[in-house]
Every structure is written in C-alpha cells, then in structure tokens.
Amino acid sequence: MRPIRAACLGTTTALVALLACAPVEAAATDTGSAHAKGGHRVITLIGVLKEQTRFPVTPGGIPAAQGDRTVFRSDLLDQNRKKVGETGGTCTTTRAVDGGAEECTVTYTLPGGQLSAQGMVFGILTQGRPTTPPPPFDNAITGGTGKFDRARGQIHAETIAPNTRRFTIDLD
C-alpha cells in the first residue's frame, strides 16, 4: 500500500506551542483523498474520556490479570475545544507484571473518514493497579477510510489532565 499523501499544514495549537499541527477544520476542507496529495501532515487533537468499562478475567480477583479487557470512547476536540470527532477501542492486558502492558486497537473518527491504529501501551500498572495518569505511548496507523484511505504513520498519546490526552497524529 502507498503511504498517505497530503499537503503539509502547520499551525501552533493553543494547548501546545511546541507541537506543529494541522487543524482538523483544515483537514476537513481538503478535497479528494489525502493519499493523492503528496507530503506529510500532523494533526493534534485533545481526547476527553467519556466512557470506559473494564472487563476483568477474574471478577473480584487480582486488580490486573493477563486477558483483562478495557473498552473506551473519547470525544476528540480541536485546539479551540470544538468537538470534531471521536475515538473508541479496546485494550487487552498482555502482561500483568513488570509494569504491565496492553495491546490496543483503536478507531479515530474524523471529518472525512476514519483512522485505524494498533499497538502496545507499556507501564499501565503500578504495584498491580492501573496507573494514574496513564503513561505516554505510540501506536501505528494501520489504515483508514475516506480522506485517510491507505493512511500510514503513527499516533503519539500523552496524558495532559485527568481523563484527557493529547493525540499527535503523524501521517506519512
């Protein structure tokens, strides 16, 4: 598959002066498929957790075990705190020792299409319990639909407040 191609759009978010981004509104006004445009694009969004449910392998058992699942949904906001999409996915605990690890599959629904991402999140446990705040992580973009058809790249996530993460979507 060919990597995504899009015009490089750069602005500075009000939330992070150090990270360049392409506002979602600008991405939403592009015409045609992003992979046909050529170039590189970075989109920075804020995710606010709206729902999260944990499904332990052994209800009432140890606080984190291999095979536990988490299902979540967050609203995605632009730099002006306007809702522009949502993200949802599942994570499965693959390691319940040495800081823990989860394998996650996530879909980002944005204006003009969706992005799929997958990868590991390490350090999810502190002394056998979920960490607060969750550590930063990077996941691979595995594909997309609409304007994000054939998308490739990565998504960096970091916690910036309780139940709030900054997502830096780096499209190749």
Side-chain angles (χ1 to χ4, degrees):
M1 291 189 170
R2 294 180 0 218
I4 192 164
R5 302 286 186 222
C8 183
L9 301 172
T11 66
T12 303
T13 70
L15 297 170
V16 179
L18 299 176
L19 293 174
C21 76
V24 173
E25 296 92 347
T29 60
D30 272 351
T31 57
S33 211
H35 72 270
K37 298 256 183 228
H40 175 258
R41 181 169 52 172
V42 176
I43 303 169
T44 300
L45 300 169
I46 301 301
V48 179
L49 184 66
K50 293 299 180 183
E51 296 179 80
Q52 182 175 20
T53 305
R54 297 183 187 280
F55 297 94
V57 171
T58 310
I62 60 174
Q66 190 177 36
D68 285 358
R69 293 194 70 172
T70 300
V71 179
F72 59 89
R73 179 187 71 80
S74 298
D75 285 344
L76 293 173
L77 312 176
D78 66 12
Q79 71 269 15
N80 298 317
R81 295 287 192 174
K82 176 185 170 198
K83 182 177 175 182
V84 294
E86 69 177 54
T87 185
T90 62
C91 295
T92 302
T93 301
T94 59
R95 183 176 73 210
V97 297
D98 300 326
E102 291 180 326
E103 194 282 323
C104 300
T105 304
V106 184
T107 300
Y108 296 78
T109 303
L110 300 168
Q114 297 178 357
L115 286 168
S116 298
Q118 183 175 353
M120 297 297 293
V121 179
F122 296 99
I124 59 153
L125 302 174
T126 302
Q127 299 174 348
R129 299 198 181 279
T131 58
T132 305
F137 60 89
D138 295 296
N139 285 172
I141 296 172
T142 57
T145 64
K147 290 172 53 163
F148 303 105
D149 179 36
R150 297 185 230 169
R152 289 293 179 261
Q154 66 181 2
I155 299 173
H156 177 76
E158 60 185 306
T159 301
I160 58 172
N163 297 318
T164 306
R165 287 192 172 154
R166 176 179 28 252
F167 296 104
T168 304
I169 302 169
D170 189 354
L171 298 163
D172 294 334

